[in-house]
């Protein structure tokens, strides 16, 4: 028997370190680590000990005898990886670097950003005696996209929060949440009161389409839509047009697949997750029956990962289809095209909700009067095998009209979501490359005393675990500079700064977490998220920004 990785895992390498026979690759230090869609278990050398599944923070590993029918393709994926990458010259088992004995006084570091990159950086720093870390974030809650970006139907992936809770429990760790650099304090404050500042602020905005009609009501960012259904306090009052039968998602990465799944999911299945209550109420009354995903390039170049495509293809009660397979793309060009070609051959079931993947289609403009009515699209190459109407409406669905047959057409829709990538904002006090959307750096070093990690360092790419190796590189540069005497000592005896003493500390976050989980137990859910900032501050026992007293006392964890 062999163990099998069954999804896009967090790739933090916990399983690699736990494996006694070094059969999980690519491992840290090997080509491809942090770049592949997942890690893979070598079925030839796995000894069936189960150490990997115990170490995995997201439950991605299973023995092959317990795979569901939908998970069986992952057995072949794991095997195929080693046929292409034998790893005959395997490096020694990955090791944890020995803690450095830092010379001099205590090393005090500010980490800005409490998402995966920031917490992995804090973890790397706290491995070394004499280090204290304060993690700042503008939100009252930490964990970044692990909390507000992972889709609610991926509860296993959200289990990575267990890793973060372990980091939070280490000596020398502290939070200063609900505190924004550039508003509540300045970059210069952090530099003055710490040996070093490491920014891990991610990429908080989306990329615009740059086409006419993008600003119409009913046209929105998938980034904002994801934040809304995940209970992000900045989006708790958002409203989306769910009263039509069709939505169009422009883009075909993993975020686009997430949005399509949520829009077509049975609301009662979502009710067992941590989806936000306002979003759940809206989805219960949604009339959307079809979601069309538009990709500019062909099926072989689709940006979504193979594990996410396999999960999509195995959905119950939802037809997942590919519209008009390009004649010039061999179905067996790659494992991804093999799956997509099978979807293209599916026969729709009348009456079912559906997700339609459409390739080589470019949005030209969004049309409508006082709100979105549709998207005018253009084929990059002529389709083959029938008209768009015949291919997409086999059971008489909502009609689509054609303009200049073979050139452009209008896809009728009441909701259009753009999902073409994340982009970072400039960081006050730091240089910024507007082309790449990153802070210029060398191995994470902006200058001695200032460092970056995560998407603000490398752009919006990689997976949750990619941030671990990214943070390790940046922290290594920071420690090198400290040992070389390049970091200035904090002033004012290490006091934080002169800003008002407020914000959510570690105990405040634990109180929020306990309150959400307690309500979740009552409703049979993992947690019920507090989505209003004032409610979050009240649960934390903190004063609101207007100085008001919290509505309820802090909940004891």
């Amino acid at each position: 028997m062999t163990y099998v990785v069954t999804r896009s895992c967090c790739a933090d390498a916990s399983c690699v370190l736990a494996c006694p026979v070094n059969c999980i690759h690519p491992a840290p230090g090997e080509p491809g680590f942090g770049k592949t869609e997942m890690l893979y278990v070598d079925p030839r050398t796995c000894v069936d000990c189960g150490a990997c599944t115990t170490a995995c923070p997201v439950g991605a590993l299973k023995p092959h005898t317990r795979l569901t029918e939908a998970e069986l393709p992952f057995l072949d994926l794991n095997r195929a990886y080693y046929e292409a990458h034998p790893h005959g010259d395997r490096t020694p088992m990955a090791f944890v670097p020995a803690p450095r004995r830092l010379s001099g006084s205590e090393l005090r570091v500010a980490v800005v950003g409490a998402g995966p990159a920031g917490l992995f950086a804090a973890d790397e720093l706290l491995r070394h005696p004499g280090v204290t870390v304060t993690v700042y974030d503008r939100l009252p809650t930490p964990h970044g996209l692990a909390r507000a970006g992972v889709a609610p139907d991926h509860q296993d992936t959200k289990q990575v929060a267990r890793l973060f809770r372990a980091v939070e429990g280490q000596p020398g760790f502290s939070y200063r949440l609900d505190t924004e650099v550039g508003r509540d304090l300045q970059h210069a404050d952090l530099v003055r009161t710490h040996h070093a500042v490491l920014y891990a602020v991610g990429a908080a905005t989306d990329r615009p389409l740059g086409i006419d009609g993008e600003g119409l009501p009913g046209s929105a960012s998938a980034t904002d839509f994801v934040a809304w259904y995940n209970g992000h306090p900045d989006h708790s009052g958002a409203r989306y047009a769910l009263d039509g039968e069709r939505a169009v998602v422009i883009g075909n990465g993993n975020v686009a697949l997430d949005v399509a799944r949520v829009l077509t999911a049975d609301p009662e299945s979502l009710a067992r997750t941590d989806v936000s209550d306002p979003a759940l109420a809206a989805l219960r009354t949604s009339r959307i029956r079809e979601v069309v995903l538009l990709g500019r390039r062909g099926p072989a170049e689709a940006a979504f990962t193979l594990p996410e495509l396999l999960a999509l293809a195995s959905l119950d009660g939802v037809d997942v289809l590919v519209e008009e397979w390009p004649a010039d793309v061999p179905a067996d060009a790659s494992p991804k095209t093999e799956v997509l070609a099978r979807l293209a051959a599916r026969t729709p079931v009348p009456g079912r909700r559906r997700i339609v993947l459409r390739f080589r289609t470019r949005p030209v403009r969004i049309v409508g009067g006082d709100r979105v009515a549709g998207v005018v699209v253009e084929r990059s190459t002529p389709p083959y095998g029938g008209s768009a109407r015949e291919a997409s409406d086999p059971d008489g669905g909502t009609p689509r009209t054609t303009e200049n047959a073979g050139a452009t057409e209008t896809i009728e829709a009441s909701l259009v979501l753009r999902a073409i990538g994340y982009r970072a904002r400039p960081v006050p006090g730091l240089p910024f490359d507007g082309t790449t959307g990153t802070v210029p750096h060398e191995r994470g070093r902006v200058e001695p005393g200032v460092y970056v990690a995560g998407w603000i360092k490398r752009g919006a790419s990689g997976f949750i675990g990619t941030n671990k190796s990214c943070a390790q590189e940046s922290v290594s540069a920071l420690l090198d500079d400290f040992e070389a005497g390049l970091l200035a000592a904090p002033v004012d005896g290490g006091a934080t700064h002169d800003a008002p003493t407020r914000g959510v500390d570690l105990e405040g976050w634990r109180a929020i977490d306990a309150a959400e989980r307690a309500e979740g137990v009552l409703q049979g859910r993992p947690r019920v998220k507090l989505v209003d900032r004032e409610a979050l501050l009240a649960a934390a026992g903190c004063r609101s920004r207007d100085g008001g007293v919290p509505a309820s006392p802090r909940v004891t964890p």
Side-chain angles (χ1 to χ4, degrees):
M1 184 169 73
T2 182
Y3 277 75
V4 182
V5 179
T6 59
R7 63 183 64 91
S8 291
C9 56
C10 71
D12 83 320
S14 297
C15 58
V16 175
L17 295 173
C19 178
V21 294
N22 196 20
C23 75
I24 304 176
H25 296 270
E30 294 178 340
F33 180 76
K35 299 177 182 177
T36 56
E37 297 175 353
M38 52 192 281
L39 302 184
Y40 303 87
V41 179
D42 187 349
R44 301 168 301 173
T45 55
C46 175
V47 295
D48 186 29
C49 69
C52 58
T53 192
T54 302
C56 178
V58 298
L61 284 136
K62 284 186 176 182
H64 83 271
T65 53
R66 296 183 184 175
L67 298 179
T68 65
E69 184 175 353
E71 292 169 338
L72 287 174
F74 288 97
L75 183 60
D76 291 333
L77 280 181
N78 279 252
R79 182 184 299 112
Y81 172 80
Y82 287 95
E83 291 174 355
H85 310 277
H87 285 281
D89 55 345
R90 294 180 184 180
T91 58
M93 192 177 303
F95 71 101
V96 177
R100 300 197 196 190
R101 295 293 174 182
L102 303 177
S103 59
S105 60
E106 175 185 71
L107 171 60
R108 183 175 293 107
V109 180
V111 173
V112 182
L119 292 175
F120 280 132
D123 186 36
E124 292 300 320
L125 286 161
L126 293 169
R127 294 177 187 274
H128 308 284
V131 180
T132 60
V133 176
T134 301
V135 178
Y136 295 78
D137 200 283
R138 72 178 190 86
L139 295 179
T141 56
H143 302 175
L145 288 180
R147 176 181 169 96
V150 176
D153 61 347
H154 278 10
Q155 288 297 309
D156 45 7
T157 304
K158 288 176 179 279
Q159 292 179 38
V160 72
R162 292 186 298 179
L163 285 177
F164 302 149
R165 286 196 290 272
V167 175
E168 294 162 354
Q170 295 185 53
F173 181 94
S174 63
Y175 269 138
R176 184 86 180 273
L177 306 174
D178 193 43
T179 303
E180 184 172 354
V181 177
R183 181 192 62 191
D184 302 309
L185 72 162
Q186 303 302 317
H187 170 68
D189 296 322
L190 295 175
V191 171
R192 185 181 74 250
T193 56
H194 297 82
H195 290 91
V197 185
L198 187 149
Y199 285 88
V201 293
T205 61
D206 71 301
R207 296 179 182 274
L209 294 168
I211 60 176
D212 291 342
E214 191 171 6
L216 280 172
S219 170
S221 157
T223 303
D224 293 344
F225 187 75
V226 168
W228 169 68
Y229 66 60
N230 270 315
H232 193 297
D234 289 354
H235 301 272
S236 60
R239 299 289 184 271
Y240 291 93
L242 306 181
D243 55 343
E245 293 190 2
R246 179 183 288 120
V248 171
V249 180
I250 299 172
N252 60 10
N254 286 348
V255 171
L257 298 193
D258 286 347
V259 168
R261 289 198 320 276
V262 169
L263 283 171
T264 56
D266 177 1
E268 296 315 307
S269 68
L270 289 177
R272 297 189 290 271
T273 73
D274 65 346
V275 65
S276 80
D277 282 350
L280 179 60
L283 290 166
R284 277 182 163 143
T285 61
S286 170
R287 295 182 58 217
I288 290 177
R289 304 293 298 171
E290 179 181 84
V291 179
V292 179
L293 274 64
L294 303 181
R296 293 172 183 259
R297 297 182 294 175
E301 295 80 31
F304 46 70
T305 60
L306 181 57
E308 290 299 317
L309 174 62
L310 288 170
L312 186 79
S314 65
L315 289 177
D316 290 330
V318 178
D319 278 340
V320 180
L321 312 168
V322 170
E323 181 176 314
E324 300 186 50
W325 186 263
D328 61 333
V329 178
D332 60 355
S334 69
K336 187 181 292 185
T337 57
E338 289 177 359
V339 176
L340 290 170
R342 290 198 296 270
L343 296 179
R346 280 185 175 179
T347 300
V349 177
R352 272 189 175 181
R353 296 181 299 278
R354 64 174 60 173
I355 297 171
V356 180
L357 304 173
R358 183 166 176 173
F359 299 101
R360 294 181 178 174
T361 304
R362 182 178 68 88
V364 176
R365 64 184 177 275
I366 299 171
V367 295
D370 58 351
R371 57 176 289 182
V372 167
V375 185
V376 178
V377 300
E378 180 182 62
R379 294 280 191 178
S380 58
T381 58
Y384 87 99
S387 70
R389 172 71 183 265
E390 293 168 342
S392 61
D393 298 303
D395 61 345
T398 307
R400 304 178 184 188
T401 59
T402 301
E403 302 174 0
N404 303 323
T408 66
E409 66 174 283
T410 300
I411 303 175
E412 295 180 6
S414 60
L415 176 67
V416 176
L417 298 172
R418 58 186 180 274
I420 56 174
Y422 290 88
R423 183 173 177 81
R425 298 189 183 103
V427 178
L430 271 62
F432 189 74
D433 185 333
T435 301
T436 62
T438 61
V439 170
H441 66 91
E442 182 181 352
R443 294 178 52 239
R445 180 191 295 107
V446 181
E447 61 183 34
V450 181
Y451 308 85
V452 288
W455 282 359
I456 193 65
K457 171 186 174 183
R458 67 180 190 275
S461 63
F463 311 97
I464 290 176
T466 309
N467 293 296
K468 190 179 182 80
S469 55
C470 176
Q472 286 173 337
E473 179 185 60
S474 300
V475 169
S476 179
L478 187 159
L479 296 176
D480 288 346
D481 289 350
F482 181 67
E483 292 184 324
L486 299 177
L487 305 186
V491 299
D492 300 331
T496 51
H497 47 75
D498 296 329
T501 55
R502 62 162 194 77
V504 177
D505 60 11
L506 176 58
E507 290 307 309
W509 156 238
R510 286 174 171 168
I512 293 171
D513 185 46
E516 292 183 339
R517 287 174 176 272
E519 186 61 29
V521 169
L522 295 177
Q523 298 189 27
R525 302 169 63 184
R527 69 172 65 236
V528 176
K529 287 179 177 174
L530 297 169
V531 301
D532 176 76
R533 187 181 291 269
E534 297 306 314
L536 287 162
L537 295 178
C542 298
R543 291 183 178 272
S544 64
R545 292 194 173 277
D546 60 10
V549 178
S552 61
R554 176 179 292 172
V555 178
T556 301

